[in-house]
Amino acid sequence: MRFWPVDVDLRSSFFWIAFGLLATTTVCLAEGALPAPSAKPPVVPTFEKLPHTPLPKGEFIAWCGDRERYLLATDGQYIDAYDGSTKISAPSPTGSRWVQCGADGQYIIFPEEDDGRVRKFELETGKSAILATFDGPSRQGIGIAFSPDMKTVASDQLLQLTAEAGELRTIRVPATFGQRVYKIVWSPDSSKFFVAYSDTVDVLDAQGKSIGGGKIRKYAGVTAGWFDAEQKSLFLFLVSDDIQGIGDLVRCRIADWRCVQLKERVEQAAGGGKGLIGIVGPIDRPRLPDDDSSVLYARYAVELRDDSFRLLFRQEFTRLAGRSIPRLYVSPSAATAVLSWRLNNPYNPGPPFRQGSGYGMRSDPFKGKEKFHAGQDFRVPLGTPIPAATPGLQIVDCRRASQCDRPATGFVRGDGSIGRA
């Protein structure tokens, strides 16, 4: 059964971290000279060594263009644009977590799945226009991504462009039964993109012609992915444990699809400008429960690595009461990053209830895409009495045999109104 958050602070704390110029120091040696052996491993600096500035509280959504702008949901729902600590956008019409910015950071584009439309919204003026329509809503959700130059859109839906779309080109990405589209990601120069399916990845050029790709580990969804600095390889964050949200970061060469595991036990991975990579992963190894409930890790490591996976910065964080897992997002310019965590006070009924999926972004168990989860799930052994929040009648949907042994899917309150469990 799902419980909605109680007294939840839907805000996150942010620090604006200035990296400056991250360059490798070159040492010149006389011919035949050898470097002196290192007495001990070099000390990796922490993020506290970098200049940092607190930012407005809210849920970080994405970077917006190449000018260090970013998108933030300050009320837990609607999205606004910020430049530093200054809000620059008119009131936003969307709470969709799938939203894409133009390269100049002047507007956002997002699908309205219930209405079957793709909308463009100018951040500072508030003007909007419909760029395309499609048949919706779809149970699988729409897979869609615009090239950074905003000249091409790739989608698994047939898009009908409007006059407002101008010279925009469309590429139809095939989706078949059992091979739905999980993610579409373009290269920074708009020359190619990749499509992640349930167990394969296809790399295509800007005309939609396949130029590489191959198999990935079965049942390991691509939660995040990006091209390396030379655009010859893909970094893929593969999550096979949907309960814990833990997975592996791999690097796959496009030409021959040779994949190498870079790091295991990763909880968040994000690529930024100039090949920089932000990684978050648990340190402790608690015993996992025998059922499908999740456990809370106590300590996390946040790392910044370069395109060759060299460690640049690292800092450990202890999970405090009311504070969620840290997240690290590197800007497209590689000059700054956002380090964030959620401040909340989630409802915890105690044993035998075990915490499941929490409030925030997650891989949707029905559509396979990242989606905002506006609640807190708990798991209990079969047969556990569930106290009702209000007097009423529980409803169980047994149209599918597999659902008859699940918790109630809805309820009728004492006042006659209907809710969903």
Side-chain angles (χ1 to χ4, degrees):
M1 174 170 290
R2 174 178 300 170
F3 290 85
W4 301 104
V6 178
D7 295 330
V8 173
D9 185 348
L10 303 180
R11 302 173 296 176
S12 298
S13 290
F14 290 89
F15 286 96
W16 185 276
I17 304 173
F19 289 143
L21 181 62
L22 295 173
T24 303
T25 302
T26 302
V27 179
C28 298
L29 300 173
E31 185 176 353
L34 295 176
S38 177
K40 58 182 179 180
V43 176
V44 178
T46 65
F47 293 100
E48 292 176 345
K49 301 296 184 182
L50 297 169
H52 55 275
T53 304
L55 293 183
K57 293 184 177 181
E59 181 189 355
F60 183 86
I61 304 300
W63 291 99
C64 188
D66 301 326
R67 299 164 53 186
E68 306 299 324
R69 292 182 170 185
Y70 59 95
L71 302 178
L72 201 65
T74 54
D75 61 357
Q77 184 175 4
Y78 290 103
I79 295 173
D80 295 307
Y82 283 78
D83 192 340
S85 59
T86 304
K87 179 180 174 181
I88 60 171
S89 62
S92 170
T94 182
S96 171
R97 267 49 180 178
W98 189 103
V99 60
Q100 188 172 346
C101 274
D104 58 3
Q106 298 292 328
Y107 59 89
I108 58 176
I109 298 177
F110 54 92
E112 298 174 330
E113 294 195 44
D114 291 341
D115 298 320
R117 302 181 300 197
V118 179
R119 183 181 295 275
K120 176 182 177 181
F121 176 78
E122 295 183 10
L123 292 171
E124 297 184 21
T125 66
K127 296 180 180 179
S128 67
I130 304 300
L131 300 183
T133 61
F134 57 90
D135 291 334
S138 167
R139 176 174 172 78
Q140 302 296 341
I142 183 174
I144 186 172
F146 285 76
S147 59
D149 61 13
M150 292 294 167
K151 294 181 180 180
T152 310
V153 56
S155 176
D156 61 355
Q157 298 283 336
L158 181 61
L159 299 178
Q160 303 291 335
L161 299 182
T162 68
E164 298 287 347
E167 300 297 321
L168 182 67
R169 298 189 306 113
T170 63
I171 297 177
R172 178 73 183 276
V173 174
T176 60
F177 180 77
Q179 280 288 333
R180 63 174 180 258
V181 174
Y182 276 66
K183 191 172 290 292
I184 305 173
V185 178
W186 282 86
S187 63
D189 66 354
S190 303
S191 66
K192 59 182 71 71
F193 64 96
F194 76 81
V195 183
Y197 298 93
S198 57
D199 59 3
T200 61
V201 172
D202 194 11
V203 185
L204 305 97
D205 63 17
Q207 286 69 47
K209 179 182 177 181
S210 180
I211 57 175
K215 291 281 187 179
I216 57 175
R217 189 172 66 247
K218 198 170 185 179
Y219 306 121
V222 177
T223 301
W226 60 92
F227 288 84
D228 70 350
E230 297 181 350
Q231 300 185 29
K232 295 181 178 179
S233 300
L234 297 180
F235 288 99
L236 301 174
F237 176 32
L238 307 178
V239 174
S240 54
D241 186 348
D242 289 335
I243 303 300
Q244 293 297 131
I246 301 295
D248 302 327
L249 182 63
V250 302
R251 183 172 189 163
C252 297
R253 196 160 57 192
I254 296 173
D256 56 8
W257 203 247
R258 293 187 60 184
C259 297
V260 178
Q261 183 188 64
L262 299 175
K263 191 174 182 64
E264 62 176 357
R265 302 186 77 240
V266 175
E267 188 148 337
Q268 184 242 349
K274 299 181 182 178
L276 296 184
I277 305 170
I279 301 173
V280 177
I283 299 175
D284 50 325
R285 293 177 178 267
R287 181 182 179 275
L288 298 180
D290 295 331
D291 56 18
D292 61 352
S293 58
S294 62
V295 298
L296 299 178
Y297 296 102
R299 295 168 59 234
Y300 287 86
V302 181
E303 299 177 347
L304 180 73
R305 293 177 178 267
D306 63 14
D307 203 49
S308 64
F309 216 62
R310 180 172 62 99
L311 184 60
L312 303 176
F313 296 90
R314 184 181 190 274
Q315 187 160 338
E316 297 182 7
F317 293 88
T318 300
R319 179 167 180 158
L320 303 176
R323 178 179 292 183
S324 72
I325 307 160
R327 293 287 187 262
L328 182 64
Y329 306 94
V330 184
S331 70
S333 69
T336 56
V338 164
L339 178 64
S340 75
W341 50 85
R342 183 177 299 280
L343 304 177
N344 55 33
N345 183 24
Y347 174 74
N348 186 0
F353 294 86
R354 291 180 179 271
Q355 183 175 337
S357 295
Y359 187 93
M361 297 299 292
R362 68 166 182 177
S363 177
D364 189 290
F366 301 104
K367 298 183 178 180
K369 297 180 174 66
E370 282 193 89
K371 188 176 180 181
F372 187 70
H373 182 222
Q376 172 66 62
D377 293 348
F378 292 93
R379 296 177 174 85
V380 293
L382 187 65
T384 301
I386 306 296
T390 182
L393 175 66
Q394 288 186 325
I395 303 171
V396 178
D397 187 352
C398 283
R399 288 174 294 181
R400 297 182 180 179
S402 61
Q403 293 181 343
C404 291
D405 59 352
R406 296 182 180 180
T409 59
F411 58 90
V412 179
R413 301 186 181 92
D415 61 4
S417 61
I418 297 177
R420 294 191 61 82

